Amino acid sequence: MRKLRMTSAVLVSVGAVVLASTAVAVALPAGAAAAGCSVNYAVSSQWQGGFGANVTITNLGDPVTSWTLTWSYSAGQTVTQAWNTTLTQSGAAVTARNVSYNGSIATNGTASFGFNGSWTGSNPAPTSFALNGVACTGAPVPTTAPPTTAPTTPPTTGPTTPPPTGAADITVNSATRYQTIDGFGAATAIWGSSAWSTAETQTLVGLGANQFGLSIVRTGISPVSSEWATHVNALSTAKSYGSGVKILASPWTAPAAWKANNSRINGGKLLTDYYDDYANHLNSFVQYMAGQGVAIDVTSVQNEPDWHPAYDSMDWSGTELRNFVRDQGARVQNTKLMVAEAVNLNYGYTDPTLNDATARNNIGYIGGHLYGTEDSGRLAPYPLAAQHNKPVWMTEWNFHEADGSGSNIWGNPSNQAVWNETLDTIMRTVHRSMEANWSAYIWWYGKRFYSFIGDGEAAYGTTAGAPLKRGYAFSQYSKYVRPGYQRVALTKSSKASPLEVTAYQGGGKITFVILNRSTSAVNNAVLQAPQNVTRAEHYLTSLSANSASQPATVNGGQVTVSIPARSISTVVFTL
C-alpha cells in the first residue's frame, strides 16, 4: 500500500488558484550508470503562496533497482509535503528517493511521485535533474496549457491529499471515515431440508468469475436440535471457501413447551421460567456448530419479535429482550449476541438494551429488517447504537414484485422489469443503508428465483444454482467492498450529480460503488484518490452486462471512467 510521507507539519493556507503546468525531459549521457532517462516535472496547481507538482521518471536504458533524483530550485521554493517518495531538502537542493512500494525502474518503466510546496515571487520549474548522480539535460516536454481564467475558490485538497491533475468529478476525502463494513450476505433456507450444495455455496461466497463474494451467511436455529445438521456442509464450505465469511444464526422460536401459547407458531411469549433454558438452547447450537468446525460469529436473540405469523415466531417486548440479555446473555458463549431483528428496525426493541449497561455489555450488534423501515424514517443512522459502538446490521429484506402474479421472467437476464426493480429498489436500499452508517446488508434467501442464484422453479424460469441478474448487481458491493473496509467521505461535481456514490478504503484499495439510475450516461467521469493510483479496475452490471470489465484510465491520483445510464458500477483503485 502506498503511504503518504510528511516532510513538514502543515501545508500553507491556500488562496485563489492560478493553474500552471511546466515540464522538463532529460536524457543521461552515454556511458552513465543508467543509459538514459526522461523526467517529467509538472506543476499541476498553484495558489497564493503554494503549489503542487507531479514528477514521473522514465528509464530508457539499463534498469535501476533503486533511485535518487535530485534537482535545485532557483527561486527559493520549499517542499512542504510529499507522497510516494522519501523527499528531503537542504537549501535549494532537493533529493527524492525511492520507497519500498515504488522502488526499481525497469527499462522503459516509470516511477511517479508528487509533492506540495511553497513559493514567493515566482515559481519556475527546475532546469536540470540528476538520476543516481548522473546529470540529465534536455528540452522541455510540452504539457496541457493552463486555463487562462483563475477559479474563484481555493483548492480543497488537504494536507494528506496530492493535488489533482485536472478537475475531478468524484473526490475521496479519506481523512473523514464512517462505519467499518462487516459484510454483505444472504440467508440459507430456514425451513425444510433444502440446503445449498457445495457448488452453490461457492458461487455465492467465492471471489472468482461469476461468483458473488458474500461475506455473511445467515442461518436459522431450529427449535429441534435434530435439524441442526441440515446446513453444516454449506456453512462449512462458506467458511473455508469464502474470504472472512461471518455466520449469523437467528432463531424464529423456542420449543413450543417453553411458550405461553404452547405452540411454535402465532407468536407467544417465552415463559420467564424458561429464560435460562432458552439461553442454554442458543448456546448448545453455537457449541454444536463449533464441534462441526463452523464458528457462529453472531447469534440473534430473536427474529422479528414484533411479528406473530402462522409460522415459527415468538413475541417479545423491548423490556423483555433487555431482561433476557442482561440476566442470561453471558450463558451464550463463543459468539456475539444480537438484539433483536425487529421488522422495521423499531428502536423500541433495542433502546432498552442499549440503555442498560449490563445488558449492553452482553451484546455485540444491533439488528433489524427493512420492511417499512424507509417509510418510518429509520433508514438512517441510529445515534444510540453509534454512541455505544454497536454496529447496526440490516439482516433481512425480501422484495420481488416484478413477477406480478407469477411469470417466467427471472431467469432472463435481459428482462426489463426485473432489472428496474433490482436497480431502483434493491440496489438503492443497499446504497442508502451504507449512507446510514449500517455495517451489513443481508438479503433474504440467497437461492431463490428472485434472488442471487436460481432454485429451478419452472414457473419462474430459473436453473437451480445458476447466477441471476440480481446476484451480479449485489456483487458490485459484496465482491469488492470487503469486511474491514471503512466508508470514507467524498464530494461530487455537478457533472456527477446524477450518480449515487459511496466509497470505501481498506486493504491497500479504495473502492467506489456508483449507481446511475438516470437515463443518461456520465461519460469520462474523473475519480480523484488521495494519492497516486497504481491500478484501476472498473466492473459494470446493467441490463446488458453482468459484472463486466470496463475501461479505466489512470493518471497519477485520478482515474477516468464512463458510467452508462441505468447501471451499477464498481471502480477499484489499488494504491
Side-chain angles (χ1 to χ4, degrees):
M1 174 175 154
R2 294 188 172 182
K3 299 178 181 178
L4 300 178
R5 178 178 177 87
M6 303 296 293
T7 59
S8 179
V10 295
L11 282 177
V12 295
S13 60
V14 296
V17 178
V18 180
L19 294 178
S21 185
T22 307
V24 175
V26 292
L28 288 169
C37 72
S38 172
V39 177
N40 183 286
Y41 176 102
V43 175
S44 55
S45 61
Q46 182 171 293
W47 55 93
Q48 185 63 44
F51 71 101
N54 295 319
V55 178
T56 300
I57 311 168
T58 303
N59 183 40
L60 304 178
D62 297 333
V64 291
T65 57
S66 63
W67 51 265
T68 298
L69 187 73
T70 57
W71 69 89
S72 293
Y73 280 123
S74 60
Q77 302 100 314
T78 301
V79 173
T80 57
Q81 177 197 43
W83 48 92
N84 295 339
T85 185
T86 299
L87 195 148
T88 58
Q89 183 171 0
S90 177
V94 180
T95 301
R97 295 181 174 86
N98 67 286
V99 286
S100 59
Y101 45 77
N102 70 352
S104 63
I105 314 175
T107 302
N108 295 323
T110 64
S112 298
F113 61 93
F115 57 89
N116 289 335
S118 61
W119 63 283
T120 56
S122 63
N123 186 25
T127 57
S128 63
F129 295 86
L131 179 64
N132 288 352
V134 179
C136 304
T137 59
V141 173
T143 59
T144 304
T148 57
T149 303
T152 59
T153 58
T156 58
T157 52
T160 61
T161 305
T165 57
D169 297 303
I170 303 171
T171 302
V172 165
N173 174 14
S174 59
T176 301
R177 301 198 172 207
Y178 302 105
Q179 78 272 34
T180 297
I181 301 303
D182 289 314
F184 302 85
T188 63
I190 302 301
W191 297 279
S193 60
S194 174
W196 300 344
S197 69
T198 297
E200 290 168 345
T201 306
Q202 291 174 340
T203 296
L204 290 165
V205 305
L207 295 172
N210 300 310
Q211 296 179 333
F212 298 150
L214 301 186
S215 48
I216 300 176
V217 175
R218 185 178 183 226
T219 194
I221 302 177
S222 172
V224 180
S225 61
S226 62
E227 297 177 357
W228 291 351
T230 301
H231 297 291
V232 166
N233 180 69
L235 300 180
S236 178
T237 300
K239 282 281 193 179
S240 62
Y241 187 82
S243 177
V245 172
K246 295 181 176 68
I247 306 297
L248 164 64
S250 298
W252 264 246
T253 184
W258 299 354
K259 297 169 62 181
N261 67 351
N262 197 33
S263 172
R264 287 175 51 163
I265 68 173
N266 298 316
K269 295 284 188 183
L270 176 66
L271 296 169
T272 56
D273 288 347
Y274 289 97
Y275 274 22
D276 57 347
D277 293 296
Y278 186 59
N280 290 335
H281 170 71
L282 299 181
N283 185 64
S284 294
F285 176 85
V286 173
Q287 307 318 317
Y288 167 81
M289 285 294 177
Q292 305 300 311
V294 178
I296 302 298
D297 301 275
V298 184
T299 302
S300 175
V301 174
Q302 179 62 46
N303 172 77
E304 298 182 348
D306 49 344
W307 179 240
H308 316 131
Y311 52 79
D312 285 357
S313 52
M314 191 158 65
D315 175 22
W316 300 76
S317 69
T319 300
E320 290 163 342
L321 288 165
R322 177 203 64 194
N323 293 346
F324 176 81
V325 298
R326 180 192 64 200
D327 301 335
Q328 306 294 336
R331 290 177 180 266
V332 189
Q333 299 288 309
N334 305 314
T335 189
K336 291 185 177 181
L337 287 179
M338 171 182 284
V339 171
E341 306 171 73
V343 168
N344 55 21
L345 193 59
N346 187 332
Y347 297 160
Y349 289 86
T350 48
D351 277 358
T353 295
L354 289 169
N355 284 321
D356 183 287
T358 303
R360 182 173 67 241
N361 288 338
N362 282 342
I363 67 165
Y365 297 89
I366 295 296
H369 295 174
L370 205 57
Y371 306 104
T373 303
E374 188 170 17
D375 292 340
S376 70
R378 286 189 291 273
L379 208 174
Y382 187 177
L384 189 60
Q387 177 185 335
H388 295 295
N389 299 312
K390 302 300 181 183
V392 177
W393 284 19
M394 198 298 288
T395 59
E396 184 187 311
W397 197 41
N398 176 11
F399 189 94
H400 57 99
E401 295 185 355
D403 59 320
S405 59
S407 57
N408 189 12
I409 62 174
W410 293 94
N412 176 7
S414 299
N415 184 274
Q416 188 73 56
V418 170
W419 177 241
N420 289 346
E421 181 179 277
T422 297
L423 183 66
D424 294 325
T425 304
I426 312 305
M427 303 320 299
R428 178 184 58 80
T429 64
V430 182
H431 169 79
R432 288 211 55 203
S433 296
M434 295 299 101
E435 286 195 322
N437 291 332
W438 298 356
S439 293
Y441 186 110
I442 305 170
W443 179 249
W444 182 229
Y445 281 2
K447 179 184 177 181
R448 200 73 172 96
F449 64 86
Y450 50 76
S451 291
F452 301 158
I453 60 175
D455 59 7
E457 285 197 36
Y460 295 99
T462 69
T463 301
L468 297 175
K469 177 68 72 174
R470 189 159 289 179
Y472 285 108
F474 194 78
S475 76
Q476 300 281 160
Y477 285 95
S478 59
K479 194 170 183 178
Y480 305 106
V481 182
R482 303 306 300 166
Y485 285 20
Q486 279 188 284
R487 188 170 70 89
V488 293
L490 57 84
T491 57
K492 297 189 299 183
S493 71
S494 57
K495 175 180 175 178
S497 60
L499 306 178
E500 297 165 285
V501 189
T502 49
Y504 311 83
Q505 187 160 3
K509 299 178 186 294
I510 293 177
T511 300
F512 301 80
V513 185
I514 305 170
L515 277 69
N516 184 5
R517 297 191 294 120
S518 77
T519 56
S520 299
V522 178
N523 292 319
N524 298 316
V526 177
L527 282 56
Q528 176 73 53
Q531 62 194 89
N532 280 352
V533 176
T534 62
R535 181 186 178 193
E537 304 156 81
H538 178 196
Y539 302 98
L540 170 78
T541 298
S542 65
L543 186 63
S544 58
N546 292 328
S547 196
S549 180
Q550 304 292 301
T553 302
V554 179
N555 181 13
Q558 294 188 334
V559 174
T560 302
V561 295
S562 291
I563 309 297
R566 306 291 299 155
S567 68
I568 178 170
S569 285
T570 307
V571 183
V572 181
F573 291 0
T574 300
L575 303 177

